[in-house]
Amino acid sequence: MDDVLQAEEEAILSNVRSRLALFEKDRSRLIPILQMIQETHAYLPAAAFGIVADFLGISECDVYGVATFYNQFRFNPPGRNPIKVCLGTACHVRGGDIILENFERRLEISEGETTRDREFSIERVACVGCCAIAPVAVIGETVHGSMAPSKVESLILRVQLEKEREERSQAKNESTQ
Amino acid sequence: MSPPSSASPETHYLRIRREADTRRKSFVELTEPRIHIGMATCGIASGALETKKAFEEALAERRLSARIHSVGCIGHCYAEPIVVIDNPASGFPPILYPETHPGKAKMLAKFFVEEGDPRLEHILGATEPNDMIPVITDYPRFNMETRVVMAKCGKIDPEDIYDYIAEGGYAALAKSLQEPAARIIDEVVSSGLRGRGGAGFPTGRKWELAAGAGGESKLVICNADEGDPGAYMDRTILESNPHQVVEGMILCGYAVGAENAIVYVRAEYPLAVKLVTRAIEQARKLGLLGKQILGSPFDFDIQVFQGSGAFVCGEETALIQSIEGNRGMPLHRPPFPVQMGLNGRPTIINNVKTLATISPILENGADWFRGIGTEQSPGTAIFSVVGNVVHPGLVEIPMGVTLRTLIFDICGGIPNQKKFKAVQIGGPSGGCLPEEFLDTPIDFDSLIEAGAMMGSGGMVVMDEDACLVDVSRYFLEFTQNESCGKCTFCRIGTHHLLTILERLTQGEGRPEDIELLQTLSQDIKNGSLCGLGKTAPNPVLTSLQYFMDEYEAHITEKKCPACMCRSLTAFYIDLDTCAIGCEACVAVCPTDAIFTTSTRKKGVDLVRCVKCGECMVACPPEYDAVRRVSPLGLAPAVEKPKETPRKE
Ligand SMILES: Cc1cc2nc3c(=O)[nH]c(=O)nc-3n(C[C@H](O)[C@H](O)[C@H](O)COP(=O)(O)O)c2cc1C
Ligand code: FES
C-alpha cells in the first residue's frame, strides 16, 4: 500500500508544482495555496510543504506551522467514504460522542484515521448546520440525521453493499465487452 | 471606463429595478403552479435535493408544467424539507408543507399540482390570508418573530440578484449614493445599532472612527467566521440572502470611504462560499460593484477569503493575521484595526448580521429601527435555538423579548413532557442560565448582567437530562483545543480547567476542586489577551454559580444527577418487568453486553456496556424494563450464567 501511496504522492506533487504558477508569490497567498492543494487532492502530503515554501520564499516550518494551526487541513489521505461525526453543541447534548465511539469501534480506527483499505476515515466536526436533526453524521456528501448507535452498523453495511454492487456491475460490463 | 455619467444613481437603479419587476411580474402572473423548495444547508441535509428531484420526476411523468423555485431557509429547521406550493388555478392560496420527503412530493404533485386537491391533512398552513384554511401566521412560531435581517430569507432565490431587487433590494444603496457619506454614518449612529458579532459595540461609533482614520485605501471586512460550534445563522443568511450582506458592505464602504472589502467566510461552509461569490459576480455585472457604482464616482469591490476553521480567527486581529498568511494569533489592541489593520491599512470589521441590518435601516430610517427592540439594544436578535425544544431553528425576535417567550411560546417548549433545566446562551463564551432567569429580557446588557452574553447567538435548551458539569466540560474541551497558545493562562489554564472537569465527570473529583475551578477561572480571565481566554471560563463560572449542587453531587456522592456522565452511570434491567423471550435489547446492543439470565430474562454486562442507551430506546414501552442509575452502586448485580450459549 505504501508504494501506491508514494506513486500517488508523486503525481500530486507534480500537479501542485504546475498549479502554483497560478498564484502570486506573496505570503498572503499561503492559505489559499494550501486550500487549493487540499481541495484537489483531499489532503496535504508532507512533501508539498517544501514546494510551497520554496515558491513563496519562506521556511518550510513556517508553512507547516500555518497548516497545522487550522482545523481545515489534514495530513493523511481520507478514505473513499469520509465519515464526519458532528460534535457541535446540539449534537453533543444529544449524544454525538456515543455515535463517534460507535463508528470508531465498528471500523477499528480512531477519529482522524483512515482504515487500512482506505475505504473509510473518521473525522469530528463542529456543527454542520442542521442541529434540528441532531445528532448528525455525514458520510461522503450525505447527511444522516437523528443518528443512533444502532444505525452505525447499517450505514456502513449500506456503503459496503453499494460498493459490491458497483463492482459486480462493472465486472459484468467488462465481461460483456 | 466612461466618466461618471450625468444620470443619478437612482435613475441607474430604476433601470435595473424595472428589469427585475418585469421578471417578477412574469413569474407572479404565471398561471402555472409554482413550487418553492428551501435549499439552504439545513434543507439539503434533510433531503431537499431528493425532494426537488421527486417533484421534477413527478412533473415530467404527469406532463405537468410547473415552476420549481429554489429559495433559502426560512428558519424553521424542524420542519425541513419545507415546500410552498402555489397553484393559482386550484383556487387555494399558497400552502406550506412541512417535511416533504420524496413520497410526499410525488403525492402532492399528483393531488395538488395536477388535481387541485391540497390534501389538507398534510399542510402546515397557508402563507397568505384567506378564508379557507388556517394561515401559518396563526402559529406563534411565525407571528411572534420580527424579521429585519431575515425578512427575505426563504422567499427569494439566493442565486438570482433580480429576485432580491424585485423585493426592494439595493434601493437603499441607490438612495444613499446621492447623499453625503456623513449622513449615512449619522443615520447609523442614531439608529443605535450595536454590533451583532458578540460584543455589541455601537456600529455607528465604529464607522465614525473608521471614517476619521487617516491613511489611504481603507478596507471593509465582513466577519462570517462563525466559530461557535452550535450556531449557524450567519451561514444561513449568506445562503439565503447574500445580497443583503453585499449591499451592507457597499454602504459601509461608501460611508467610511473604503475601496475594497473582503468577506471572510469559513471554507467549511461551501454553499455559503459559492452563493456569496456568485452574488458578488452578479452585483458586479449590474454595476453595483466595481468602478463608478450606479454611475456615481464611488468605486468599490469585494473579494472572498475562505477561513480555514479556527475559532480564534473570529477575533479581529487574528482574522487579519490569517488573511496575511499567518497563524491566527491575536495581537495587542491598540492599535485597533480601524487605525491599523490588514497590511497596515485602516480596516473596519463587522459581523454578517450587522451588515445585513444596514440597508433596512437606511431604507426605513433610524426611528423605525429604534421602534423595534429596547432603548439600549434597538433592533432584532437572531438565535439558533437548538437542543431540547419542540421547534428548533433560527428565530429573529425583537430585543427585549424574554427567554421564556422565546423558548416556550415561540419554540414550543420542551418535548416529551420533560422539565426545563437550563439554557446555554452565547456558545463557548456564554453561560448557562437556570429557570429563575427565564424572565430575563434578551438584550446585550441584561444577558451580561445575568452572567451569559449575546455572543454568537447560539442558544442550547437543555431539559432535566442534561448534566451541567458535562456541558462545561464540553465547552472547555472546545476552547482548550481552539486556544491559539499565545497567552500562558489561556493555553495552560484552560488545559487545567479541562482536566479538573474531566476528573469530575469520571467520579474522581476532589473536595478542593470547586474552589480551584473558581480561582483558576478568574486567573484565566485576567491573564488572557483576547476575548477567547477572557470568556472561556464563563460556562464554568455560570454553572458553578447556578448549579453548584450538581458539582457537589459529582464530587461527594460520585453521582451524576442527570445520569449523563457515563463513568458515573450504570444500566440495568428490571427483572420484574422484563419479558421472558423478548430480545429487543439484544438486537441493538453494539457491544453484545446483554446476556440471558438463568430466569430467561435479560441482564447487562457492566464490563462490556458502553452506556449508549440503545437498549433503553429499544425496550418495548409495555415492559419499559431498562433503568439508568447513578452512582454506579445503585445497579443491582445480576449474575451472568457461566455458559451463555453464543450463536456464532
Ligand atoms: C474568540 C472570538 C471569536 C469571535 N468570533 C466571531 C465570529 O465568529 N463572528 C463575528 O462576527 N465576530 C466574532 N468575534 C467578535 C469579533 O472580534 C468582532 O468583535 C466582531 O466581528 C465585530 O463586528 P460587529 O461590530 O459587527 O459586532 C469573536 C471574538 C472573539 C474574541
Ligand atoms: S451541532 Fe451538530 S449539526 Fe449543529
Side-chain angles (χ1 to χ4, degrees), chain A residues 86-92 126-132 134-136, chain B residues 229-230 232:
Chain A
C86 177
L87 287 184
T89 319
C91 291
H92 172 76
C127 196
V128 291
C130 31
C131 317
V136 173
Chain B
Y232 56 101

Side-chain angles (χ1 to χ4, degrees), chain B residues 217-398:
Chain B
S217 68
K218 294 175 197 166
L219 183 78
V220 175
I221 294 180
C222 169
N223 187 346
D225 190 51
E226 198 163 62
D228 175 353
Y232 56 101
M233 61 285 278
D234 290 357
R235 163 208 317 218
T236 304
I237 293 166
L238 287 177
E239 284 175 359
S240 302
N241 189 0
H243 283 289
Q244 194 161 326
V245 181
V246 170
E247 185 177 3
M249 292 178 76
I250 308 174
L251 285 163
C252 175
Y254 180 66
V256 305
E259 276 169 32
N260 291 298
I262 294 176
V263 184
Y264 187 95
V265 54
R266 301 206 136 206
E268 282 113 319
Y269 289 2
L271 186 61
V273 171
K274 180 180 126 192
L275 293 182
V276 76
T277 310
R278 176 154 321 164
I280 292 168
E281 280 162 14
Q282 290 177 343
R284 230 178 253 143
K285 238 181 230 146
L286 292 189
L288 295 159
L289 274 177
K291 298 263 176 236
Q292 297 163 2
I293 292 176
L294 290 176
S296 75
F298 175 55
D299 302 341
F300 190 73
D301 212 342
I302 306 180
Q303 251 95 46
V304 175
F305 187 92
Q306 298 189 30
S308 285
F311 178 55
V312 71
C313 288
E315 200 278 340
E316 304 182 327
T317 55
L319 185 149
I320 291 173
Q321 285 290 311
S322 92
I323 301 182
E324 289 176 355
N326 302 317
R327 299 163 69 102
M329 293 194 168
L331 302 179
H332 194 274
R333 300 181 303 178
F336 288 94
V338 275
Q339 302 156 321
M340 221 169 98
L342 188 74
N343 299 324
R345 295 156 65 184
T347 304
I348 176 160
I349 301 183
N350 275 129
N351 171 261
V352 172
K353 288 158 289 201
T354 314
L355 290 166
T357 314
I358 301 298
S359 68
I361 291 178
L362 294 177
E363 206 174 316
N364 303 301
D367 291 336
W368 164 82
F369 190 72
R370 279 203 166 274
I372 307 170
T374 66
E375 176 74 32
Q376 294 303 317
S377 306
T380 57
I382 303 181
F383 284 98
S384 59
V385 186
V386 300
N388 304 110
V389 281
V390 175
H391 293 151
L394 296 185
V395 186
E396 182 168 2
I397 44 161

Side-chain angles (χ1 to χ4, degrees), chain A residues 70-72 87 92 101 127 150, chain B residues 229 308 326 470 474 566 614:
Chain A
Y70 295 98
N71 297 326
Q72 186 193 2
L87 287 184
H92 172 76
E101 259 177 39
C127 196
S150 54
Chain B
S308 285
N326 302 317
D470 179 63
Y474 167 78
R566 286 192 277 155
E614 277 294 278

